């Protein structure tokens, strides 16, 4: 089973080799600079556009590569092995294209997908608010229909990855303030804006992006608030159209989060893999008590535990992706993969950090960046606690007596 799980088609092998080379030659040598300066890695992103990485899962008819979730997960692992901020630049975009493909109207697909496939426009997605993250149903940002048939959005969103440089934001807002349960009153709008503009004017007036949030790690890719202040958007910007999409935003977003979880799991595998590589190298170079530290059993045990976690995380991630691609139920498996792989990322990074001794604390060593980057994966797209809640609930559904 494990062999079959990890089998790759010739195409997958060629793509992974290409992305690994891209990570080795373009991402890894430059990540330190962009991380230290907290600078958007524009030249790397331009090369990603040329490689077609913004259209991996977008069908060929819209100009994308038309690849499946499994291949996408393999690509995300390789990019994250280089730097998780790079995969963060593609991640929300991937979720946006998934939402469009699954729920969008033909007009919405035609309007956005061809330009998304090339990376000409990029997408963000926005659920969280200053007062909520896990409790999505509590969303307060609201959209009200105006007399001319448009919707007016008011409220503040929080933690929007790619919040400034994106051109479209899949934003979940409240359209029915009275309905119970509350999640039935939420709608996903495709909100357009000018990329890179803090205070939009003209047709995008009322859509403002405050200065980026200063973070522990996950630098380079911006995380911002979004402030909607009387922002007007047409009814046909509702995902799936007004008739089909009004008050249907919650299930749409939860569906997208399921594939998003496979994506975060793949990022966990990538960062864990890189931490292991760094530990394998450093432990054979560094000597204490007359021999390389890799020859001390305590260090070998760390390496063994790390490699085991990387392997298990990769198998779980690929299994969840393959199930989804085969059209089978994968909610439980995606939740388990996300939980395990993000925790494996944190574990491997910390063990590698310990192996580096004092040098792990120095900005001269790559592991210092990984140490600041890894915790994000424990939080984004559902914390480990929320993951356990999802897994527990799904388990009981599947094994109801
Ligand atoms: C760098 C970064 C980028 C992000 N990007 C995006 C983005 O692009 N779009 C977006 O919408 N959001 C984004 N987020 C937000 C992220 O999804 C939330 O931070 C996350 O869902 C947790 O929500 P919270 O921070 O409000 O924590 P809370 O929900 O307030 O949780 C606080 C703590 O309580 C725990 N907890 C909460 N409820 C329960 C419960 N019922 N039982 C047990 N424990 C519980 C949580 O696990 C956590 O430990 C991003 C966050 C970060 C840090």
């Amino acid at each position: 089973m494990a062999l079959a799980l990890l089998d790759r088609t010739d195409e997958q092998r060629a793509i992974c080799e290409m992305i690994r080379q891209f990570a080795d030659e373009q991402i890894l040598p430059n990540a330190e600079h962009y991380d230290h300066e907290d600078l958007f890695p524009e030249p790397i992103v331009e090369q990603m556009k040329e490689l077609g990485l913004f259209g991996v899962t977008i069908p060929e008819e819209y100009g994308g590569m038309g690849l499946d979730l499994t291949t996408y997960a393999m690509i995300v692992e390789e990019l994250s092995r280089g730097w998780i901020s790079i995969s963060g630049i593609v991640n929300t975009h991937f979720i946006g294209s998934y939402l469009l493909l699954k729920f969008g109207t033909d007009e919405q697909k035609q309007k956005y997908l061809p330009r998304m496939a090339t990376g000409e426009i990029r997408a963000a997605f926005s659920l969280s608010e200053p007062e909520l993250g896990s409790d999505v149903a509590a969303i307060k940002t609201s959209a009200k229909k105006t007399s001319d048939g448009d919707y007016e959005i008011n409220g503040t969103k929080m933690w929007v990855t790619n919040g400034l440089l994106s051109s479209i934001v899949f934003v979940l807002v409240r359209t029915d303030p009275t309905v119970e349960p509350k999640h039935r009153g939420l709608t996903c709008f495709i909100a357009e804006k000018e990329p890179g503009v803090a205070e939009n004017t003209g047709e995008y007036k009322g859509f403002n992006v405050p200065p980026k949030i200063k973070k522990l790690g996950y630098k380079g890719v911006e995380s911002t608030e979004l402030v909607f202040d009387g922002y007007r958007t047409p009814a046909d910007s509702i995902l799936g159209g007004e008739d089909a999409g009004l008050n249907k935003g919650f299930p749409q977003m939860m569906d997208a989060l399921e594939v998003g979880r496979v994506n975060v799991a793949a990022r966990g595998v990538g960062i864990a893999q890189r931490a292991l590589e760094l530990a394998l190298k450093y432990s054979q170079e560094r000597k204490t008590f007359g021999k390389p530290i890799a020859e001390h059993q305590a260090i070998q045990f760390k390496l063994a535990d790390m490699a085991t976690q990387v392997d298990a995380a990769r198998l779980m991630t690929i299994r969840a992706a393959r199930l989804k691609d085969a059209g089978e139920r994968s909610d439980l498996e995606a939740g388990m993969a996300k939980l395990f792989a993000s925790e494996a990322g944190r574990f491997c990074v910390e063990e590698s950090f310990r192996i580096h001794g004092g040098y792990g604390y120095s900005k001269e060593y790559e592991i210092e960046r990984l140490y600041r980057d890894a915790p994000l994966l424990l939080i984004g797209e559902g914390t480990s606690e929320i993951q356990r809640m999802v897994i527990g609930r799904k388990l009981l559904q599947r094994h109801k007596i």
Side-chain angles (χ1 to χ4, degrees):
M1 180 63 175
L3 264 185
L5 264 179
L6 291 181
D7 274 355
R8 292 177 175 195
T9 62
D10 289 344
E11 187 185 36
Q12 285 170 336
R13 204 167 297 122
I15 290 174
C16 287
E17 269 168 30
M18 179 186 80
I19 306 292
R20 178 160 282 236
Q21 192 182 350
F22 177 64
D24 283 338
E25 292 174 5
Q26 305 299 331
I27 304 177
L28 280 165
N30 295 307
E32 183 186 337
H33 163 69
Y34 290 109
D35 171 74
H36 285 187
E37 303 296 322
D38 196 4
L39 204 63
F40 186 75
E42 189 75 48
I44 299 178
V45 173
E46 285 306 312
Q47 291 175 69
M48 288 162 68
K49 287 182 190 171
E50 278 165 34
L51 292 173
L53 292 182
F54 289 94
V56 171
T57 53
I58 296 176
E60 288 175 17
E61 58 178 302
Y62 298 108
M65 289 199 223
L67 298 172
D68 58 15
L69 181 62
T70 306
T71 315
Y72 180 71
M74 291 171 180
I75 292 174
V76 170
E77 179 191 327
E78 296 297 343
L79 291 176
S80 306
R81 175 184 160 270
W83 185 19
I84 63 162
S85 294
I86 295 294
S87 64
I89 292 167
V90 204
N91 172 33
T92 62
H93 185 82
F94 157 73
I95 292 180
S97 59
Y98 177 87
L99 281 168
L100 274 172
L101 283 166
K102 182 127 187 216
F103 303 107
T105 61
D106 284 344
E107 291 74 30
Q108 289 169 343
K109 289 180 197 170
Q110 290 295 346
K111 184 174 181 191
Y112 298 116
L113 287 173
R115 286 184 295 150
M116 286 174 75
T118 57
E120 180 195 332
I121 59 168
R122 293 199 289 109
F125 93 118
S126 171
L127 288 81
S128 306
E129 296 187 357
E131 289 176 34
L132 65 99
S134 308
D135 188 6
V136 175
I139 280 177
K140 285 189 185 148
T141 297
S142 68
K144 281 202 183 100
K145 198 159 182 172
T146 59
S147 53
D148 54 11
D150 286 349
Y151 280 80
E152 184 183 303
I153 305 185
N154 286 288
T156 301
K157 289 289 180 181
M158 183 70 186
W159 288 121
V160 184
T161 305
N162 298 302
L164 182 65
L165 296 173
S166 52
S167 299
I168 53 173
V169 182
F170 291 80
V171 60
L172 192 63
V173 302
R174 181 156 301 286
T175 34
D176 185 339
T178 54
V179 72
E180 287 291 339
K182 289 198 300 253
H183 69 262
R184 295 220 176 113
L186 299 174
T187 299
C188 176
F189 284 84
I190 310 169
E192 292 188 24
K193 67 182 180 69
E194 204 61 55
V197 172
E199 271 195 37
N200 282 275
T201 51
E203 59 177 323
Y204 306 136
K205 190 167 152 289
F207 193 149
N208 299 324
V209 187
K212 64 184 181 188
I213 300 164
K214 294 201 169 97
K215 295 171 293 189
L216 168 70
Y218 199 44
K219 309 243 182 185
V221 56
E222 79 281 7
S223 309
T224 71
E225 287 179 58
L226 297 179
V227 178
F228 293 95
D229 183 10
Y231 170 77
R232 293 274 188 127
T233 186
D236 61 15
S237 68
I238 291 177
L239 180 65
E242 192 175 26
D243 287 347
L246 187 66
N247 296 322
K248 295 292 184 306
F250 187 82
Q252 292 170 340
M253 286 294 201
M254 291 304 122
D255 186 324
L257 279 181
E258 199 178 303
V259 289
R261 284 185 181 130
V262 173
N263 172 70
V264 179
R267 298 166 84 184
V269 180
I271 201 168
Q273 168 69 37
R274 184 64 187 163
L276 172 63
E277 286 169 19
L278 294 174
L280 282 167
K281 182 167 183 292
Y282 187 82
S283 62
Q284 293 175 77
E285 290 166 355
R286 179 73 175 175
K287 289 197 177 82
T288 66
F289 303 96
K291 55 185 178 184
I293 57 172
E295 287 178 26
H296 300 304
Q297 193 181 47
I299 299 292
Q300 277 181 23
F301 279 11
K302 283 191 192 301
L303 296 172
D305 286 345
M306 290 163 75
T308 307
Q309 295 254 339
V310 173
D311 227 28
R314 185 177 290 122
L315 284 166
M316 290 176 78
T317 303
I318 295 297
R319 179 185 64 161
R322 284 204 197 283
L323 282 173
K324 181 83 184 169
D325 285 334
E328 289 179 38
R329 221 173 136 172
S330 61
D331 46 5
L332 179 63
E333 290 76 7
M336 293 196 302
K338 196 275 174 184
L339 172 64
F340 189 86
S342 60
E343 293 287 348
R346 180 203 57 78
F347 172 82
C348 292
V349 165
E350 188 176 328
E351 291 301 272
S352 184
F353 169 82
R354 289 176 197 267
I355 287 174
H356 280 74
Y359 289 107
Y361 215 65
S362 155
K363 286 200 182 286
E364 298 289 311
Y365 282 76
E366 191 184 327
I367 191 65
E368 185 268 347
R369 170 171 62 75
L370 271 56
Y371 196 81
R372 289 181 286 106
D373 283 347
L376 166 71
L377 304 179
L378 307 173
I379 306 291
E381 277 160 67
T383 62
S384 291
E385 292 75 19
I386 296 299
Q387 251 17 269
R388 287 189 171 90
M389 281 167 55
V390 171
I391 294 166
R393 226 174 11 233
K394 301 285 173 196
L395 266 180
L396 290 167
Q397 278 170 10
R398 283 198 196 178
H399 301 281
K400 196 166 167 49
I401 54 166

